[in-house]
Amino acid sequence: MDVNHLIADIHAKLPSLNTGKVADYIPELGKVSPDKFGVHAMTIDGRAFSFGDAQEGFSIQSIAKVLTLTMAYQRLGHDLWKRVDVEPSGTPFNSLIQLESDRGIPRNPMMNAGALVVCDVLLDYLANPKADLLEFVQSLSCDVTIGYNETVAASERAHSDRNRALVEFMRSFGNIKNGTDSILDFYCSLCALEMNCAQLSNTFLFLANKGFSPICRKQIITGNMTKRINAIMQLCGLYDEAGEFAFRVGLPGKSGVGGGIVAVLPGDYAIAVWSPPLNRKGNSHFGMAFLEQFTTRVGGSIF
Ligand code: GLU
């Protein structure tokens, strides 16, 4: 199958690109052109397929939560699940509602509350959290050009009242140990990691390969841990649209409000797609549509 041709054909048949809305609650994100569209797929045996703006960096936002989760899981092992649960939430990414009845334990590490707890855990283990995270990502992708977009990070820090509220609320239940400002500072930086589709698919390839990265040739986590992270992505990676993503695309995946989505087919490939306009649930409208067509026409999904 000519996958490059297939990707171009799916793109050509997507309905017009003026559906959805670019996120602007973090003002800096609102400046991105809605017309951007990039795709990059990388297989575990080294074949790459690319289309459109696949080499242009964008703000990966919540996609980074999978990477910090991996780092925290490497360090804390199974004890991590005492601090954050693994259940889908069915609520928006920044919701506070369930934290009250769940007594400060976030439903999963993919929603903001859970990712903030993961940041709190990492602050206990990492000497230089931002530098250590960057080094981890650069090594996974074998690319030292990856960095933080400081303008986006500053924009999010200046609009983080809701995330601050999440941290303080969880602290009231004893599930936060470090200072709120250090947690938010780290969190806003990880969301502001800037990567392109090629770098993203390379970075996530270890999740398609039982925890071994064919890019940096290292075992990042065990096969069992990989299974669990993929399960969390499948159930919780697309906010309260995870069911729809499983139904239409059928792969473990993670989206971000910057318009990126990464998905993996275990044993085969990682794919990243970027299109900034978001649907009502905060996921890339055309990213979802593209991936649905891709897995349908290639005939590969985990189901
Ligand atoms: N930095 C974003 C926030 O906390 C992440 C949102 C996302 O991509 O889901 O609002």
Side-chain angles (χ1 to χ4, degrees):
M1 179 185 305
D2 181 344
V3 179
N4 280 321
H5 181 262
L6 175 74
I7 293 173
D9 189 56
I10 294 172
H11 176 258
K13 291 185 177 140
L14 288 176
S16 89
L17 277 176
N18 57 9
T19 307
K21 186 173 178 305
V22 177
D24 58 5
Y25 74 100
I26 300 170
E28 208 51 36
L29 294 183
K31 297 181 180 167
V32 178
S33 161
D35 299 329
K36 298 287 179 189
F37 188 94
V39 179
H40 193 92
M42 186 75 194
T43 65
I44 59 175
D45 58 6
R47 286 168 299 140
F49 307 97
S50 220
F51 179 82
D53 302 308
Q55 300 293 333
E56 185 168 332
F58 62 93
S59 190
I60 72 167
Q61 293 291 317
S62 267
I63 295 171
K65 291 171 180 170
V66 179
L67 303 170
T68 44
L69 170 65
T70 303
M71 289 181 87
Y73 198 16
Q74 279 175 329
R75 284 159 181 81
L76 208 55
H78 208 66
D79 283 347
L80 183 59
W81 315 125
K82 293 180 188 156
R83 303 277 308 269
V84 55
D85 209 339
V86 296
E87 294 296 340
S89 72
T91 57
F93 66 96
N94 55 5
S95 173
L96 289 112
I97 290 174
Q98 291 157 335
L99 278 178
E100 170 110 63
S101 53
D102 293 343
R103 305 210 52 76
I105 304 291
R107 284 280 162 110
N108 66 67
M110 300 289 104
M111 57 196 309
N112 286 13
L116 288 161
V117 166
V118 167
C119 286
D120 187 46
V121 167
L122 285 176
L123 289 184
D124 284 343
Y125 283 90
L126 304 178
N128 302 295
K130 288 192 249 180
D132 294 345
L133 170 62
L134 194 55
E135 195 187 309
F136 179 62
V137 176
Q138 289 177 342
S139 99
L140 276 176
S141 56
C142 202
D143 189 335
V144 292
T145 65
I146 293 171
Y148 297 113
N149 181 324
E150 295 300 344
T151 314
V152 171
S155 186
E156 180 157 358
R157 272 183 207 113
H159 295 83
S160 56
D161 295 341
R162 207 175 166 96
N163 287 328
R164 183 175 292 277
L166 286 167
V167 173
E168 296 300 1
F169 197 44
M170 292 189 288
R171 188 189 301 287
S172 75
F173 288 101
N175 197 21
I176 290 289
K177 317 249 182 288
N178 291 279
T180 304
D181 286 337
S182 350
I183 296 169
L184 289 178
D185 185 49
F186 183 34
Y187 176 81
C188 293
S189 288
L190 70 92
C191 290
L193 268 170
E194 194 159 280
M195 294 170 75
N196 61 40
C197 291
Q199 292 163 334
L200 266 175
S201 56
N202 288 347
T203 298
F204 275 71
L205 207 51
F206 74 101
L207 291 173
N209 197 36
K210 298 188 172 161
F212 181 84
S213 166
I215 304 294
C216 65
R217 306 216 54 79
K218 278 191 212 138
Q219 190 75 41
I220 307 302
I221 46 174
T222 66
N224 267 332
M225 292 165 95
T226 307
K227 175 187 79 177
R228 294 182 201 285
I229 290 189
N230 282 339
I232 291 171
M233 286 207 293
Q234 184 73 68
L235 293 171
C236 319
L238 278 281
Y239 314 124
D240 54 337
E241 208 171 25
E244 180 83 7
F245 191 74
F247 184 72
R248 288 170 53 188
V249 178
L251 297 177
K254 182 72 198 92
S255 62
V257 294
I261 304 180
V262 179
V264 298
L265 179 58
D268 203 338
Y269 63 83
I271 186 166
V273 54
W274 174 47
S275 167
L278 306 180
N279 65 19
R280 270 187 319 112
K281 300 277 178 86
N283 294 312
S284 170
H285 178 80
F286 293 102
M288 296 249 311
F290 173 85
L291 287 172
E292 176 178 16
Q293 286 305 313
F294 185 79
T295 54
T296 304
R297 290 178 61 179
V298 169
S301 100
I302 67 161
F303 298 108

